Amino acid sequence: MTKKTRTFGTNFLKVKRQKAIRLPFYFVMALLCILGSPVLAKVPGSINSSAQLPVNSTTSVVVVTDPASLIEQGKILYDAGNFAEAIEVLQKAVQAYQQQGENLRLAATLSNLSLAYQQLGKWSQAQQAITQSLNLLKAQDKNPNLQILAQSLDIQGRLQLATGRPDAALTTWQQTEEIYQQIDNKNGVVRSLINQAQAWQAQGFYPRAIKTLDKLSRTLESQPDSIEKTVSLRSLGDALLVIGDLKRSHEILEKSLKIARNLQSNADIGASLFSLGNNALKQQDKLNAIAYYQQTVAASHSPLTKVQAQLNHLGLVIEGQQWGEVQTLLPSIQSQLDQLPLSRASIYARVNYAQSLSKVKIDYLQVSTKNFSSPLSTQNSAELLGRAIEESRSLGDKRAEAYAFKSLGSLYEQAKQWSEAQDITLQGLAIAQSSNAPEITYALEWQLGRLLWAKKDINGAIAAYDAAVDTLESLRRDLVVNNDVVNQDVQFNFRDSVEPVYRQSVELLLQSQQGKADEKILDKARQRIEALQLAELDDFFREACLQGQRIALDQVVERDNTSAAILYPIILPQELQVIVKIPNQPLQNYSTKISQTEVENLLVELRRNLVNPTATKTVETQSQKVYNWLLKPIESELQKSDVNTLVFVLDGSLRNIPMSALYDGKQYLVEKYAVALSVGLQLLDPKPLVEQKLVALTAGLTQPPPGFSKFAPLLGIKSEFDGINKAGVSTTSLLDGDFKKKNLESEISETSFNIVHLATHGQFSSRLEDTFILDFDGEINVKDFDTLFRTQSKSIVELLVLSACQTATGDNRAALGLAGAAVRAGARSTIASLWQIDDKSTAMFVSAFYQQLKSGKITKAEAVHRAQLKLLNHPNYKAPSFWSSYVLIGNWL
């Protein structure tokens, strides 16, 4: 270590666990997985290098002078994992071929020597060897040996990818593909395409990688099992995991594992098991994830794969506070780490290990030193990270160096050594910015903001948080410009690594007012919360989902609807803030000192009781608390301003609660106001529906499709549709067998419907794959809503009604799926149910809503309001479980 790096460890104080900084602790795809068994270049005239010769476990170098025999001996040693000995033998072969002037064989041997150097992390020697090889091959102007040239380029691509140059690796592997096509080497083409897909993934271009691998997998499907086939499928499964297609990812990874087992390839068995573990981890199936990681360690012969699996396993048992298992894993991981050759992968593994160690309380590590290797018993996390920084420098990998600096700075932060942490963080930030690594840059900017905040430098902290948010926004803009780009680090850890940046920034801004309302700061705070909600939807869909011309809500209430007020509740760690916009008044805010945990616990209880018709008294008690938080401080001003509509831009768990059910001690909110929800601070070209002829496409299922027996029949749909017709709405109906996605799409594209009313089961979830509606054939996923409801030739759908849908049971973020459905459909307004209610009350609500909408100049929000009041005033439907289920999202005019 350099002197500066050593200082990081020796000055480090006892690390305290800090809950607010939760770092990701598992390797999903940050480490690359090109063909597990690299293909050695064939040396012309030597023994066939693909021959499977027995390897003695006590193999020693045989003294031979024939270079062809040396090559074969080197291969045996290489295949046995004896890379250092293989290098000695190959160096002798190089000398022999140099003396004989056999340049073609010399070039092939040099490329294999480079490959052996790569396995030991000797990157400069590997680079020198492959450069010499390619120079010799390129000097053969008249009759270059294309097979050897392609193999040498293949090995160069591995070196480029391993040393953090995926763009260069991609170019190299595109060259190899062209050469293999030219000489009609089909296996070579397959390998090149797999490697190109890995290079695309390393740059964040997962959809492009998936497209390549999908095509390749179809090509290989009819071919016999091969290493190329199992690697292609595994790569495809890994890429699908990153973009969130977990079900298909699992299916493809299982196929990859089956082929690897048929081939008895331990390297590929281990790699597929590891990927399946990552898939289980992403699905929050921790028991299966641990089982897969344990199987990985047992099956794989790769030290890197073993340590990655053990690190993921360690992270899970630390999270579960299973300290006995932690004690068992630590010495094994340390031993594996010490054996890894230098590479970006080994550096990330070391950083990962240091992060995990910092989470382990010393009290739980009452283990004698004989159970640990010496380095573990004396080295703390800071020293491990100092070593990772030094290794990054020797490798020339700026991204890995910046990542290690970030982790080291966070350790000093946890120890409350603010100045040292700030110095280290600034060093990492400079490296990340110069390396065009925004996913690391924003994390360092966020870290700097926390440190400055801790040092009471409020202005500096705000500037740092602003920079972090700007960097995250630039990542989102990249999604808008090129939907091919998916940043895995940001996508995978949204709740831990993205959401807190926005929330802490808002908390800091509001604190900076020092008790005196500042309209500019309040406006900035609410815009930041909107940015968080948009980022959350982008994460949900794995792409930028909200674009187009939109009008600010303030402009709507000041110009078009002066009887509406907008409320922005914001859940912060220790308080609940509310920013309010009343027409023709400046922004104002108020707060309640209450912890986020207490807020969320009450909301969970309230949501559970709301669906129970017999729990009305409990609902009133609990919802009154929420009313007091959100509305009581402002209720008199609302009355003075003649406000009759409340528009909520809800945050977090509040989105699971219908605001109409809030209770002031005497009345429900619905008895005083019309209520609407907005996904953000802007509306898509807000136009009222009044004075338009109402033309509706209605579609529904009275019986669920095969395979969906958990959903009950909807026998009241015909009555529901009759109510729409009786209200005077012109309708076209698709019922049961006619209600298919293709028919729905065809009708919407051919006729100008301003209303689409779907009476069918559906589910809203925080998981994209679990958010859908049902048609006669099965599921229509929310991701398909954009093509289903948006047409090029016809006007936009004004109103989408989803009358029998519900949020997923037990999912406290399920309203995210509801917001996603509203945004994806592109309708100006969406009405949906948070839970399903009985057929008769549904038909009554729907009929009353359309009668009100058709009757005259009232807003959609007011029509919903009056329909809810009709149910509330009915003797059978007084309970909030009946009338509060429906929410209006988007344009309330």
Side-chain angles (χ1 to χ4, degrees):
M1 280 185 198
T2 65
K3 183 177 180 181
K4 186 162 186 80
T5 306
R6 187 176 293 113
T7 301
F8 295 153
T10 56
N11 287 346
F12 190 69
L13 300 180
K14 183 178 180 181
V15 177
K16 296 181 180 178
R17 186 174 177 132
Q18 184 172 340
K19 189 175 181 181
I21 308 168
R22 184 179 173 199
L23 298 169
F25 50 71
Y26 52 87
F27 288 83
V28 177
M29 243 78 62
L31 306 174
L32 303 167
C33 55
I34 53 180
L35 284 171
S37 302
V39 179
L40 291 162
K42 289 187 179 181
V43 180
S46 71
I47 301 171
N48 188 337
S49 67
S50 64
Q52 298 298 310
L53 299 178
V55 178
N56 191 313
S57 60
T58 58
T59 304
S60 59
V61 179
V62 178
V63 178
V64 291
T65 55
D66 176 26
S69 299
L70 287 169
I71 294 294
E72 189 56 45
Q73 183 68 26
K75 181 188 183 305
I76 293 171
L77 291 165
Y78 183 97
D79 289 344
N82 298 326
F83 303 119
E85 294 180 38
I87 287 170
E88 291 181 20
V89 172
L90 290 172
Q91 285 173 333
K92 292 179 181 179
V94 166
Q95 293 172 1
Y97 283 133
Q98 283 175 334
Q99 292 173 359
Q100 295 173 11
E102 295 279 359
N103 285 349
L104 186 59
R105 292 171 182 170
L106 174 60
T109 306
L110 283 166
S111 66
N112 287 336
L113 180 61
S114 173
L115 197 57
Y117 277 129
Q118 290 179 42
Q119 295 292 349
L120 293 181
K122 295 186 176 182
W123 306 111
S124 60
Q125 295 96 320
Q127 184 62 63
Q128 184 179 2
I130 197 64
T131 299
Q132 290 177 359
S133 172
L134 291 170
N135 286 341
L136 287 168
L137 291 168
K138 291 172 183 176
Q140 296 179 324
D141 294 328
K142 293 183 179 179
N143 297 302
N145 187 304
L146 296 179
Q147 177 71 26
I148 294 178
L149 176 60
Q151 290 174 336
S152 295
L153 287 169
D154 197 347
I155 290 168
Q156 183 188 47
R158 291 180 63 89
L159 175 61
Q160 291 165 332
L161 191 62
T163 53
R165 294 175 289 160
D167 51 344
L170 177 64
T171 301
T172 299
W173 284 325
Q174 287 170 338
Q175 286 182 262
T176 66
E177 181 195 0
E178 292 176 4
I179 295 171
Y180 282 131
Q181 292 277 15
Q182 188 176 342
I183 61 178
D184 197 28
N185 184 328
K186 291 183 173 58
N187 283 339
V189 171
V190 168
R191 284 197 302 274
S192 297
L193 289 171
I194 293 172
N195 290 339
Q196 286 175 47
Q198 298 294 340
W200 284 124
Q201 290 184 47
Q203 297 177 81
F205 291 92
Y206 284 88
R208 194 171 298 181
I210 288 169
K211 186 176 181 181
T212 300
L213 292 166
D214 248 337
K215 182 178 179 181
L216 187 56
S217 298
R218 288 194 295 271
T219 301
L220 292 170
E221 193 170 346
S222 59
Q223 296 181 14
D225 291 349
S226 63
I227 294 296
E228 287 82 3
K229 191 171 184 178
T230 188
V231 172
S232 174
L233 289 169
R234 185 172 73 248
S235 299
L236 177 56
D238 286 344
L240 289 167
L241 177 60
V242 171
I243 67 166
D245 193 345
L246 304 183
K247 183 178 179 181
R248 187 169 173 230
S249 168
H250 180 84
E251 292 171 353
I252 288 172
L253 290 172
E254 285 284 5
K255 289 181 182 179
S256 172
L257 177 60
K258 183 178 180 180
I259 295 171
R261 283 176 169 160
N262 290 342
L263 296 171
Q264 298 182 342
S265 171
N266 288 328
D268 294 295
I269 291 171
S272 294
L273 286 167
F274 178 60
S275 293
L276 282 163
N278 293 336
N279 184 286
L281 182 64
K282 180 62 176 174
Q283 296 194 60
Q284 300 180 351
D285 184 355
K286 295 179 181 179
L287 290 178
N288 265 331
I290 288 173
Y292 278 125
Y293 293 141
Q294 290 172 328
Q295 292 176 60
T296 300
V297 173
S300 179
H301 291 171
S302 163
L304 177 60
T305 303
K306 283 177 181 287
V307 81
Q308 289 173 344
Q310 288 176 318
L311 284 166
N312 286 4
H313 185 181
L314 176 64
L316 287 170
V317 295
I318 289 174
E319 190 176 66
Q321 297 188 359
Q322 297 166 267
W323 303 113
E325 290 191 55
V326 170
Q327 292 174 10
T328 301
L329 282 167
L330 286 177
S332 176
I333 293 172
Q334 179 67 50
S335 175
Q336 296 283 351
L337 280 173
D338 290 341
Q339 297 177 35
L340 292 180
L342 177 61
S343 67
R344 170 181 280 191
S346 69
I347 293 167
Y348 276 39
R350 199 174 303 283
V351 172
N352 181 300
Y353 183 55
Q355 290 173 350
S356 292
L357 278 183
S358 73
K359 296 181 178 72
V360 179
K361 292 182 178 178
I362 301 301
D363 294 344
Y364 292 98
L365 296 179
Q366 303 300 324
V367 184
S368 62
T369 55
K370 67 180 181 180
N371 292 328
F372 295 95
S373 63
S374 178
L376 180 61
S377 61
T378 58
Q379 255 179 225
N380 58 29
S381 296
E383 290 171 330
L384 287 169
L385 291 169
R387 180 177 170 184
I389 290 170
E390 185 63 24
E391 289 176 342
S392 301
R393 288 171 175 167
S394 66
L395 188 61
D397 190 334
K398 295 293 185 182
R399 282 175 177 254
E401 185 180 356
Y403 183 60
F405 265 112
K406 178 185 77 70
S407 299
L408 184 58
S410 75
L411 286 181
Y412 278 93
E413 178 186 10
Q414 291 175 57
K416 298 186 178 180
Q417 294 183 226
W418 311 125
S419 296
E420 294 88 344
Q422 183 178 342
D423 178 60
I424 292 166
T425 300
L426 286 169
Q427 290 183 64
L429 181 57
I431 296 167
Q433 288 173 333
S434 66
S435 305
N436 191 27
E439 73 282 0
I440 302 174
T441 298
Y442 96 86
L444 284 157
E445 290 166 337
W446 174 29
Q447 188 162 288
L448 179 61
R450 297 195 304 266
L451 294 168
L452 293 170
W453 193 355
K455 294 173 72 175
K456 311 299 183 185
D457 182 356
I458 301 302
N459 290 335
I462 289 174
Y465 271 97
D466 286 350
V469 170
D470 287 345
T471 303
L472 284 170
E473 290 295 291
S474 73
L475 289 172
R476 181 178 183 272
R477 285 193 293 272
D478 287 343
L479 287 172
V480 175
V481 173
N482 185 351
N483 280 339
D484 247 351
V485 179
V486 178
N487 182 280
Q488 64 181 19
D489 295 322
V490 173
Q491 295 284 345
F492 260 33
N493 300 289
F494 183 86
R495 292 198 70 179
D496 297 329
S497 303
V498 175
E499 184 172 347
V501 180
Y502 289 92
R503 289 202 184 282
Q504 292 171 16
S505 173
V506 169
E507 183 180 10
L508 177 62
L509 286 168
L510 294 174
Q511 282 186 12
S512 73
Q513 295 182 111
Q514 298 181 334
K516 185 178 180 181
D518 183 318
E519 189 168 16
K520 288 185 178 179
I521 289 177
L522 292 176
D523 187 48
K524 185 176 180 180
R526 64 176 182 161
Q527 288 187 34
R528 191 138 293 172
I529 281 294
E530 178 187 29
L532 167 60
Q533 295 194 352
L534 295 182
E536 191 174 27
L537 284 171
D538 288 346
D539 179 69
F540 178 76
F541 285 110
R542 296 297 191 270
E543 61 185 53
C545 62
L546 196 58
Q547 302 173 49
Q549 292 295 318
R550 309 182 75 81
I551 306 299
L553 295 187
D554 285 10
Q555 183 177 333
V556 178
V557 300
E558 297 283 11
R559 184 191 67 190
D560 301 319
N561 189 209
T562 56
S563 59
I566 313 167
L567 292 92
Y568 314 88
I570 303 170
I571 302 173
L572 298 174
Q574 299 303 325
E575 65 180 348
L576 181 66
Q577 282 272 357
V578 184
I579 301 174
V580 180
K581 173 62 182 178
I582 295 176
N584 302 311
Q585 292 187 26
L587 291 174
Q588 54 185 300
N589 76 303
Y590 44 88
S591 66
T592 304
K593 293 294 181 183
I594 185 170
S595 72
Q596 180 176 350
T597 301
E598 189 176 347
V599 170
E600 291 179 345
N601 288 343
L602 177 64
L603 294 176
V604 168
E605 287 292 322
L606 175 56
R607 176 64 174 76
R608 183 162 53 241
N609 290 320
L610 273 167
V611 301
N612 182 359
T614 65
T616 300
K617 290 297 181 184
T618 305
V619 167
E620 288 177 352
T621 300
Q622 293 174 335
S623 67
Q624 187 173 357
K625 290 182 180 179
V626 182
Y627 178 92
N628 290 342
W629 297 339
L630 304 188
L631 288 156
K632 190 173 180 61
I634 203 77
E635 60 184 6
S636 61
E637 288 193 51
L638 293 174
Q639 292 169 5
K640 291 176 185 176
S641 302
D642 293 326
V643 167
N644 61 26
T645 301
L646 300 181
V647 180
F648 290 88
V649 183
L650 294 175
D651 181 33
S653 300
L654 285 166
R655 287 177 287 190
N656 293 326
I657 305 299
M659 294 293 103
S660 59
L662 299 188
Y663 191 68
D664 68 0
K666 296 180 180 179
Q667 291 179 298
Y668 291 104
L669 195 62
V670 73
E671 297 179 81
K672 300 190 290 184
Y673 299 99
V675 176
L677 306 178
S678 179
V679 174
L681 307 181
Q682 302 175 6
L683 287 180
L684 179 63
D685 190 16
K687 294 179 180 178
L689 194 55
V690 296
E691 298 182 345
Q692 291 187 36
K693 180 182 179 182
L694 302 185
V695 182
L697 173 63
T698 59
L701 287 180
T702 58
Q703 298 290 336
F708 293 89
S709 57
K710 70 174 183 177
F711 294 104
L714 297 172
L715 302 180
I717 285 180
K718 292 181 181 178
S719 175
E720 185 174 331
F721 287 0
D722 286 344
I724 299 173
N725 287 323
K726 288 177 182 177
V729 179
S730 175
T731 62
T732 298
S733 183
L734 300 173
L735 190 62
D736 290 332
D738 292 328
F739 178 21
K740 296 181 179 181
K741 180 183 175 183
K742 63 178 181 180
N743 295 342
L744 191 65
E745 195 168 3
S746 175
E747 288 288 351
I748 292 174
S749 65
E750 291 176 5
T751 308
S752 293
F753 297 104
N754 47 23
I755 299 172
V756 176
H757 184 110
L758 304 181
T760 179
H761 283 294
Q763 178 176 277
F764 308 118
S765 169
S766 60
R767 289 159 53 99
L768 176 63
E769 58 268 33
D770 294 333
T771 300
F772 58 86
I773 61 172
L774 296 180
D775 71 352
F776 187 77
D777 294 328
E779 290 184 12
I780 301 177
N781 188 270
V782 67
K783 197 164 186 179
D784 297 326
F785 277 22
D786 57 346
T787 56
L788 190 61
F789 296 110
R790 304 186 197 203
T791 62
Q792 299 298 319
S793 57
K794 301 296 178 183
S795 60
I796 192 170
V797 173
E798 295 283 347
L799 175 64
L800 170 65
V801 181
L802 303 168
S803 74
C805 296
Q806 60 190 359
T807 52
T809 304
D811 186 348
N812 62 3
R813 291 166 62 89
L816 177 63
L818 173 56
V823 168
R824 197 72 175 189
R828 286 198 174 92
S829 312
T830 299
I831 295 176
S833 53
L834 291 174
W835 58 86
Q836 189 182 342
I837 57 179
D838 70 70
D839 282 358
K840 290 183 179 179
S841 57
T842 296
M844 183 180 293
F845 171 85
V846 167
S847 178
F849 168 73
Y850 282 104
Q851 286 174 6
Q852 294 294 333
L853 198 64
K854 188 76 169 58
S855 65
K857 295 183 177 181
I858 64 170
T859 65
K860 284 172 275 192
E862 182 61 27
V864 171
H865 174 223
R866 295 182 185 181
Q868 287 177 316
L869 288 176
K870 184 169 184 178
L871 286 183
L872 186 150
N873 293 322
H874 190 284
N876 296 336
Y877 305 126
K878 283 181 174 293
S881 59
F882 293 106
W883 50 262
S884 69
S885 171
Y886 285 102
V887 293
L888 171 66
I889 305 170
N891 178 12
W892 69 90
L893 300 179

